[in-house]
């Protein structure tokens, strides 16, 4: 895949279409992330779509520019950070007097509490999933050039 | 209804044909591409069944990411298959028996879409009727996944997390930055 990249970058159709698509893909990922409680989607789908945007960029422009954008050495912090955000939301609910992951305790109005809790854990899911997908892609694609 | 029935039949036939094509394909590259098509048809079937969230995931993960990962793997190991082994009668009988048993077992299942099916009588009515009041979001799939079943989702994210840790431990972080420089730095992958 990596040795095909130089020719893929020189292909004007692929390059232009990719340039056109990457921004909408990333914005759509954010839309799916924050709109999950009103429409289909949520953190998992948003994370996968975001990772797909990065992977398309890496396929056309090469692994190195993509890794300048999202350094592989930093990805592990996102992988762990998203999950910790999820856990932290659960423990925060406990510290407010509710059960673990009972978001109603996060706010005086249980509905607001549920809303904040769901937004927080979906963000955690999104961060972890996006980072995991990009990490796995890096691990596979990066072996070629060794 | 008849239109939907027609669509279902066409989609399932396409699914069947794609599966046969995957089995018969000699070239792994085309098998991977057909796998992507298979996922996409599955996503369309989920769409028809009104399971939009599942369709979304299937299209993004099945047709998108896993196809790319398969292609990455093929670029490492090549896309030639081994010589096909001749038909093994024992395996054929075993598969046939299993299939017959599974088809026989479907006789005991409730009819497709039956509202009286046990799975629709347990917690589903509460999710449908009370989730707006208890949790809030209009999309109750989100309410179920994020709030009612928060523990499950936490565990799922844990599984995804451990997948990444496993891949990093086995294959390294795949860092290629600075690799093109003449300095031979082999331990770049062990920086974890």
């Amino acid at each position: 895949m990596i040795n095909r990249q130089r020719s893929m970058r020189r292909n004007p159709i692929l390059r232009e279409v990719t340039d056109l698509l990457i921004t909408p893909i990333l914005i759509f990922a954010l839309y799916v992330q924050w709109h999950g409680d009103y429409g289909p989607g949520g953190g998992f789908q948003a994370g996968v779509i975001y990772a797909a945007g990065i992977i398309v960029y890496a396929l056309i422009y090469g692994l190195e520019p993509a890794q300048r954008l999202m350094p592989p050495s930093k990805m592990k912090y996102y992988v762990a950070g998203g999950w910790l955000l999820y856990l932290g939301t659960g423990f925060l609910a406990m510290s407010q007097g509710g059960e673990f992951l009972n978001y109603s305790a996060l706010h005086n109005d249980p509905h607001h509490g549920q809303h904040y809790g769901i937004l927080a854990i979906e963000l955690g899911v999104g961060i972890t999933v996006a980072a995991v997908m990009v990490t796995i892609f890096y691990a596979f694609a990066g072996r070629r050039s060794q | 209804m008849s239109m939907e029935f027609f669509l279902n039949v066409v989609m399932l036939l396409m699914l069947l044909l794609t599966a046969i094509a995957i089995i018969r394909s000699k070239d792994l590259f085309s098998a991977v591409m057909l796998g992507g098509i298979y996922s996409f048809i599955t996503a369309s079937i989920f769409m028809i069944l009104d399971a939009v969230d599942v369709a979304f995931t299937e299209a993004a993960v099945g047709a998108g990411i896993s196809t790319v990962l398969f292609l990455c793997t093929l670029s490492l190991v090549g896309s030639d298959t081994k010589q096909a082994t001749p038909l093994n009668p024992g395996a054929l009988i075993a598969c046939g028996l299993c299939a017959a048993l599974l088809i026989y077992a479907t006789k005991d299942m409730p009819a497709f879409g039956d509202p009286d099916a046990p799975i629709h009588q347990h917690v589903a009515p509460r999710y449908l009727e009370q989730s707006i009041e208890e949790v809030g979001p209009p999309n109750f799939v989100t309410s179920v996944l994020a709030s009612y079943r928060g523990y499950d989702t936490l565990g799922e994210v844990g599984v995804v997390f451990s997948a990444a840790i496993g891949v990093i431990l086995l294959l390294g972080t795949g860092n290629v930055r600075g690799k093109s420089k003449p300095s031979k730095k082999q331990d770049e992958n062990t920086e974890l």
Side-chain angles (χ1 to χ4, degrees), chain A residues 5 9 15 18-19 22 56-65:
Chain A
Q5 262 163 15
R9 189 169 30 206
R15 202 183 52 224
T18 313
D19 285 354
I22 285 180
V56 167
Y57 181 73
L59 288 180
I60 301 299
Y61 285 94
L63 204 53
E64 210 173 324

Side-chain angles (χ1 to χ4, degrees), chain A residues 36 39 41 67 86 103 111 114 144, chain B residues 75 133 139 142 146-147 150 174 176:
Chain A
Q67 293 194 345
Y86 199 140
Y103 319 125
H111 272 188
Q114 289 284 346
R144 187 66 179 189
Chain B
S75 79
E133 223 173 280
N139 180 9
T142 301
S147 190
V176 296

Side-chain angles (χ1 to χ4, degrees), chain A residues 31-120:
Chain A
Y31 169 78
V32 171
Q33 172 77 57
W34 300 116
H35 211 250
D37 37 356
Y38 292 98
F44 189 80
Q45 289 91 338
V48 172
I49 293 170
Y50 193 87
I54 304 292
I55 290 174
V56 167
Y57 181 73
L59 288 180
I60 301 299
Y61 285 94
L63 204 53
E64 210 173 324
Q67 293 194 345
R68 267 202 300 278
L69 189 69
M70 299 188 84
S73 50
K74 302 259 165 56
M75 294 317 284
K76 56 189 179 230
Y77 299 117
Y78 293 107
V79 169
W83 201 40
L84 287 177
L85 178 59
Y86 199 140
L87 275 176
T89 312
F91 285 123
L92 190 67
M94 271 173 100
S95 75
Q96 303 292 318
E99 297 93 345
F100 182 64
L101 288 174
N102 181 0
Y103 319 125
S104 298
L106 291 174
H107 195 271
N108 290 333
D109 183 352
H111 272 188
H112 284 311
Q114 289 284 346
H115 197 75
Y116 296 145
I118 288 175
L119 281 182

Side-chain angles (χ1 to χ4, degrees), chain B residues 9-31:
Chain B
V9 170
V10 170
M11 291 283 188
L12 288 172
L13 270 180
M14 282 164 72
L15 209 58
L16 194 68
L17 289 178
T18 318
I20 293 171
I22 291 174
I23 296 169
R24 296 194 59 82
S25 133
K26 295 267 180 284
D27 180 24
L28 288 179
F29 182 77
S30 49

